[in-house]
Amino acid sequence: MYSATEKALIASIWEKVTPHTEQWGGEALERLFAVFPQTKIYFKHVDTSPGSAAIRTHGDKVMKAIGSTAGDLDNMLTTLSSLSNLHAYNLMVDPVNFKLLSHCILVVLANHLPSEFTPEAHLAFDKFLASVAAILSQKYR
Amino acid sequence: MGMAEVMDTSIFGLLPQLPNDQPTNQTLTMVHWTDEERQAITSIWAEVNVEEAGHQALTRVLVVYPWTQRYFSTFGNVSNATAIAGNHMVRAHGKRVVVALGDAIKNLDNVKATYAKLSELHSEKLHVDPENFRLLGETLIISLAAQFGAAFTPDIQAAWQKLMAVVTAALSKQYY
């Protein structure tokens, strides 16, 4: 599934994300809401205005969850198991939205790491985020 | 106007004669762009390196979604990232695509008509799955994000994504 090169690319890119999970996570969500406003429907209870503390906190949470599995790709199912349950039984976010957020995360990476986010890194990350999305929606039905 | 006039025109299937201040069918189906969206599109477009953006976007499509290589069998070696990035036919084609995007930007109020022939070309001659228009739109957004950094704000991204969606719809129009 992942070549050794891809694993290395994902880990090295993520190392650069780690100091910025709150800012970049918040930015990914801000882009999501600006480009795909229908996604705000899942955040009716939250202040989704640009730069809001709630969104930065949530973005941080999302990025850290992604980070938790980026360094151990052979065990993604285990690492993401409880998040998978959460999304299936509590949140029930339509899986189409995982693609939309993944796209916005890729935009953030390209935006802040233009020289590191090469086409090969882009490929590795697109695969990785698609795997995360698949695991999160795995128990939906 | 009287009943007689209404009956006359509608019986023969013509558009009824509306008073001049009513929207016609065409304006009802036109894409509506706000001033901010137009500004977001033209301000970025003024600074885009057309050849580089096209090369980046097309390279990324071929690398990230390798099944798209099926359309480029006559381009020589497109089997790996290094070959793709160095392929001069890929570079030339990427540039051509982004140059064509300029036509849409000059005709934001009528992208469908502007791209009618291109749509036919992609459907009848090139046999390209329209999903590929969406993929290239995505990688172009990512290439712009890399070139423009902080200047590529969420609102500017939103305007450009809308443009990509309009372009995709226009290119898909002549498919059946």
Side-chain angles (χ1 to χ4, degrees):
Chain A
M1 276 256 324
Y2 296 99
S3 68
T5 317
E6 285 171 337
K7 288 184 185 178
L9 275 170
I10 291 166
S12 86
I13 293 261
W14 206 261
E15 209 182 297
K16 302 196 165 65
V17 175
T18 305
H20 306 284
T21 49
E22 188 182 306
Q23 189 199 335
W24 295 3
E27 186 188 318
L29 287 173
E30 199 183 318
R31 288 181 184 280
L32 181 70
F33 299 145
V35 180
F36 309 106
Q38 71 274 14
T39 56
K40 287 188 285 189
I41 200 77
Y42 292 103
F43 295 87
K44 283 287 167 190
H45 54 289
V46 160
D47 172 13
T48 54
S49 55
S52 84
I55 291 309
R56 288 170 70 95
T57 307
H58 194 73
D60 187 39
K61 204 186 243 182
V62 169
M63 296 299 248
K64 286 196 159 93
I66 293 172
S68 72
T69 192
D72 189 15
L73 296 172
D74 294 325
N75 290 301
M76 285 178 75
L77 275 170
T78 315
T79 312
L80 294 175
S81 172
S82 54
L83 273 177
S84 181
N85 292 337
L86 181 73
H87 284 76
Y89 307 128
N90 299 75
L91 302 177
M92 294 186 274
V93 170
D94 193 300
V96 72
N97 296 288
F98 300 143
K99 267 186 171 230
L100 305 183
L101 181 56
S102 296
H103 171 69
C104 291
I105 291 172
L106 295 179
V107 170
V108 167
L109 293 178
N111 200 293
H112 291 282
L113 302 170
S115 35
E116 292 92 334
F117 197 65
T118 60
E120 293 94 315
H122 178 168
L123 166 59
F125 247 91
D126 195 56
K127 277 174 67 168
F128 170 53
L129 292 179
S131 303
V132 171
I135 293 170
L136 289 180
S137 43
Q138 199 180 38
K139 297 170 190 171
Y140 272 48
R141 54 181 175 174
Chain B
M1 63 197 231
M3 268 308 270
E5 289 100 320
V6 173
M7 294 289 288
D8 263 336
T9 52
S10 53
I11 279 170
F12 291 101
L14 298 171
L15 270 182
Q17 298 298 305
L18 298 168
N20 282 339
D21 60 353
Q22 294 266 26
T24 61
N25 261 6
Q26 200 200 339
T27 52
L28 283 170
T29 57
M30 254 171 69
V31 176
H32 172 70
W33 301 94
T34 64
D35 289 340
E36 288 80 12
E37 286 168 342
R38 289 176 196 271
Q39 169 65 12
I41 290 165
T42 53
S43 69
I44 292 281
W45 184 247
E47 307 292 322
V48 167
N49 179 328
V50 166
E51 183 177 325
E52 199 46 47
H55 185 55
Q56 274 292 303
L58 185 55
T59 296
R60 284 177 190 273
V61 165
L62 290 163
V63 169
V64 179
Y65 313 106
W67 52 92
T68 58
Q69 290 161 21
R70 72 191 298 287
Y71 297 109
F72 296 90
S73 54
T74 57
F75 275 38
N77 188 0
V78 289
S79 60
N80 63 74
T82 314
I84 292 165
N87 185 307
H88 70 273
M89 287 179 83
V90 169
R91 181 175 277 276
H93 193 74
K95 178 176 176 182
R96 188 182 198 176
V97 167
V98 177
V99 165
L101 182 63
D103 290 336
I105 292 173
K106 282 202 262 314
N107 293 286
L108 282 179
D109 291 321
N110 211 346
V111 177
K112 254 183 238 166
T114 306
Y115 278 176
K117 288 240 142 50
L118 263 181
S119 180
E120 227 178 272
L121 175 76
H122 283 76
S123 165
E124 301 309 296
K125 283 226 133 78
L126 305 175
H127 307 302
V128 174
D129 184 334
E131 173 64 10
N132 294 284
F133 308 146
R134 211 188 53 79
L135 295 180
L136 187 56
E138 280 192 3
T139 61
L140 182 59
I141 295 286
I142 283 170
S143 304
L144 292 177
Q147 184 190 336
F148 287 92
F152 198 64
T153 64
D155 284 341
I156 289 184
Q157 181 188 344
W160 273 83
Q161 301 244 194
K162 180 169 165 176
L163 175 63
M164 295 298 104
V166 166
V167 163
T168 292
L171 286 174
S172 313
K173 187 95 174 48
Q174 306 297 329
Y175 280 65
Y176 63 92

